[in-house]
Amino acid sequence: MALGALIIKEILGISDRETVEQIKENPYLQYFIGMESYSSKAAFNASMMVHFRKKIGMKLTNKINKEMVKKNGESSVRKKENEGKLLLDATCTPADIKYPTDIGIVNEAREKTEKIIDKLYEEIKEKRKEKPRTYREVARKDYLAIVKKRRVSKKERRKGIKKQLQYIKRNLSHIEKMVEEGARIEKLTKKEQDLLITIKKVYEQQLEMYEKNTDRVANRIVSVTQPHVRPIVRGKAGKAVEFGAKISASSVNGYVFLDKLSWDNYNESGDLKEQIEDVKWLAQGTIYPDVIESVSVKGPSATIKSHHNVGGLPDYMKLQIVEPLRMLFKDEVRRVGATLGIDPELLGRHPFPGPGLSIRILGDITPEKVQILQDVDSVFIEGLKSWGLYDKVFVEPLQVQYF
């Protein structure tokens, strides 16, 4: 049921609540999630979708993938050793939460504490005649005064957050006193108890950020109802931060496998070793000048390019190297490329320094120096092309790589 509901949600692109309603009204969707007969009642509460997402982890996903491979009559994805194409990528799976703001998070936390106070008070109202004062209407007006403004200054936003934090502090104090007076936390549901723990953590984080006048804090909570969701910095144009689980996936011969799933950000390059554990060979584009300029071959030679990987790989990399161009000069490599039908524009492209353009900058590398270098590079290349010299510098015996 859990997996089926999540598949329906993603295919239809709807919210958790809408998913429950669609299943409730559609007998085909009920059959899809494993229900034995049609029911006009909701199969589960919309809040259960959060638990479904936690339950469907990497192990279960890959287990399902392997079963699908077996169903297609393939005992293994790879038929032969080192055969096929391996594609690796990392992405963020968006969580079903509204875009978080500090004022929105503290306001939601305050509202949740008010509901908890209402429930705990029912248990001790005979002992305590007066219900704890929460100022909920005033707090709501303070919140709306901020969010309804088209433009809010940083000072106004900080003032609004401070007020909401004060309301939360008062409410948490009321809850502690009510417990001391006989209200039992056990009367709250497991979800409400977890929510109370989350609210206390949200209060601590937001108070720390307010006092330090910063927007950064360790393990920052961006959703009161889904505290496991973390901001994932991706650096994409127009979407620098995403909210959800970060995953690394590999595609082998058309089958996609989940290699890692984490609610915290991580560097996906660290998973490369595990993802390519079946790979036995590493292909390198080493050519003869790299060899003779890096190590002495058949007599003394100037080792001016010690950065080239011609001395083998570290012991921890259990790979064998294949270098098909190792004994060829640059002009010979181009002739091989022409024989293979490679685009002449690619074959005739001027050599680019391995370490990057920054190798041509003297002293400290700054954005200004990089811009100057890029402009000079552009002027030089365009000048060669406009004078018809771009391809001629590669004619023997010139073979020039400018510095």
Side-chain angles (χ1 to χ4, degrees):
M1 180 180 289
L3 179 61
L6 292 175
I7 291 174
I8 291 171
K9 170 185 163 53
E10 294 303 319
I11 291 179
L12 298 182
I14 54 181
S15 67
D16 292 348
R17 194 175 301 277
E18 290 171 331
T19 301
V20 174
E21 288 300 316
Q22 287 285 344
I23 295 173
K24 176 182 174 182
E25 298 172 1
N26 194 321
Y28 296 103
L29 296 183
Q30 291 186 16
Y31 176 79
F32 180 76
I33 65 173
M35 294 178 64
E36 295 182 356
S37 60
Y38 174 75
S39 174
S40 59
K41 297 180 180 179
F44 50 84
N45 191 281
S47 62
M48 287 297 296
M49 294 289 285
V50 177
H51 299 285
F52 291 167
R53 280 187 283 272
K54 292 181 181 179
K55 187 176 180 181
I56 307 296
M58 187 175 71
K59 290 183 178 179
L60 181 57
T61 301
N62 283 336
K63 184 178 179 180
I64 294 169
N65 281 351
K66 290 177 181 178
E67 289 299 321
M68 292 172 64
V69 172
K70 290 181 181 179
K71 290 288 184 182
N72 289 335
E74 298 185 40
S75 58
S76 175
V77 174
R78 290 189 177 182
K79 298 288 185 65
K80 296 179 181 178
E81 195 173 301
N82 298 319
E83 179 186 273
K85 182 186 291 186
L86 173 64
L87 301 176
L88 307 175
D89 194 15
T91 188
C92 180
T93 57
D96 187 23
I97 64 171
K98 61 183 179 182
Y99 191 86
T101 61
D102 290 332
I103 186 69
I105 292 170
V106 291
N107 175 70
E108 185 180 4
R110 173 191 59 79
E111 291 177 338
K112 298 294 185 184
T113 58
E114 291 167 356
K115 291 181 179 180
I116 292 174
I117 287 174
D118 292 341
K119 189 166 184 177
L120 291 177
Y121 177 70
E122 288 298 316
E123 192 178 4
I124 60 168
K125 63 182 179 181
E126 293 182 359
K127 298 180 182 179
R128 183 171 183 169
K129 300 298 181 182
E130 187 177 346
K131 188 177 181 179
R133 187 173 295 179
T134 58
Y135 300 95
R136 63 187 71 191
E137 292 183 3
V138 178
R140 178 69 177 171
K141 288 180 181 178
D142 290 339
Y143 167 68
L144 293 177
I146 299 295
V147 297
K148 283 189 174 182
K149 273 192 173 185
R150 294 187 64 182
R151 293 185 179 179
V152 182
S153 67
K154 184 177 180 181
K155 184 178 180 180
E156 290 174 321
R157 188 178 292 108
R158 279 179 53 80
K159 185 177 179 180
I161 292 173
K162 181 181 180 180
K163 285 185 176 181
Q164 295 299 319
L165 287 173
Q166 289 171 340
Y167 292 129
I168 295 174
K169 181 180 179 180
R170 182 184 291 108
N171 290 350
L172 290 176
S173 177
H174 285 323
I175 292 172
E176 289 180 3
K177 288 180 180 178
M178 291 169 71
V179 171
E180 292 174 359
E181 293 173 5
R184 291 175 295 171
I185 290 293
E186 293 76 15
K187 282 294 182 180
L188 299 176
T189 64
K190 178 65 167 61
K191 180 180 177 182
E192 290 170 333
Q193 293 180 40
D194 292 341
L195 192 60
L196 183 57
I197 294 173
T198 300
I199 291 170
K200 291 179 179 178
K201 186 64 178 178
V202 167
Y203 173 75
E204 292 172 0
Q205 290 184 348
Q206 292 291 332
L207 182 62
E208 179 183 340
M209 289 191 291
Y210 176 81
E211 292 176 343
K212 294 182 177 179
N213 196 16
T214 181
D215 58 358
R216 294 176 182 273
V217 69
N219 299 317
R220 184 176 181 179
I221 295 174
V222 294
S223 172
V224 176
T225 55
Q226 299 188 54
H228 56 279
V229 176
R230 293 285 180 269
I232 305 295
V233 179
R234 299 284 289 160
K236 294 181 179 179
K239 207 171 187 180
V241 181
E242 294 178 293
F243 303 93
K246 186 173 182 180
I247 62 171
S248 292
S250 57
S251 175
V252 185
N253 295 344
Y255 293 97
V256 177
F257 291 90
L258 193 60
D259 298 314
K260 185 170 183 176
L261 184 151
S262 174
W263 291 100
D264 294 311
N265 208 349
Y266 63 88
N267 187 343
E268 56 266 27
S269 63
D271 301 321
L272 184 61
K273 182 180 178 181
E274 289 75 15
Q275 290 172 322
I276 63 171
E277 60 183 1
D278 292 333
V279 177
K280 307 300 181 185
W281 294 88
L282 174 66
Q284 288 195 162
T286 307
I287 60 177
Y288 196 56
D290 297 333
V291 177
I292 61 177
E293 292 170 356
S294 300
V295 295
S296 297
V297 180
K298 297 180 180 179
S301 61
T303 56
I304 61 175
K305 291 185 177 181
S306 58
H307 62 273
H308 281 296
N309 299 325
V310 297
L313 296 173
D315 293 337
Y316 64 84
M317 295 186 69
K318 308 301 181 183
L319 297 172
Q320 298 182 64
I321 300 176
V322 57
E323 298 171 311
L325 308 175
R326 183 182 177 89
M327 302 308 294
L328 301 179
F329 283 99
K330 293 181 181 179
D331 62 311
E332 294 173 321
V333 172
R334 294 191 187 94
R335 288 203 294 271
V336 171
T339 302
L340 295 174
I342 295 176
D343 188 345
E345 186 175 342
L346 182 61
L347 289 175
R349 184 179 183 275
H350 278 228
F352 189 85
L357 281 175
S358 60
I359 198 68
R360 297 176 179 155
I361 297 177
L362 299 178
D364 295 336
I365 298 174
T366 64
E368 293 75 16
K369 290 182 180 179
V370 172
Q371 185 61 55
I372 293 173
L373 179 58
Q374 289 174 333
D375 292 340
V376 171
D377 181 85
S378 177
V379 169
F380 180 78
I381 293 296
E382 292 304 318
L384 289 178
K385 290 180 178 178
S386 63
W387 286 92
L389 299 173
Y390 185 83
D391 296 321
K392 293 183 179 180
V393 295
F394 285 129
V395 178
E396 290 289 351
L398 296 179
Q399 288 195 358
V400 177
Q401 176 176 342
Y402 66 91
F403 289 93

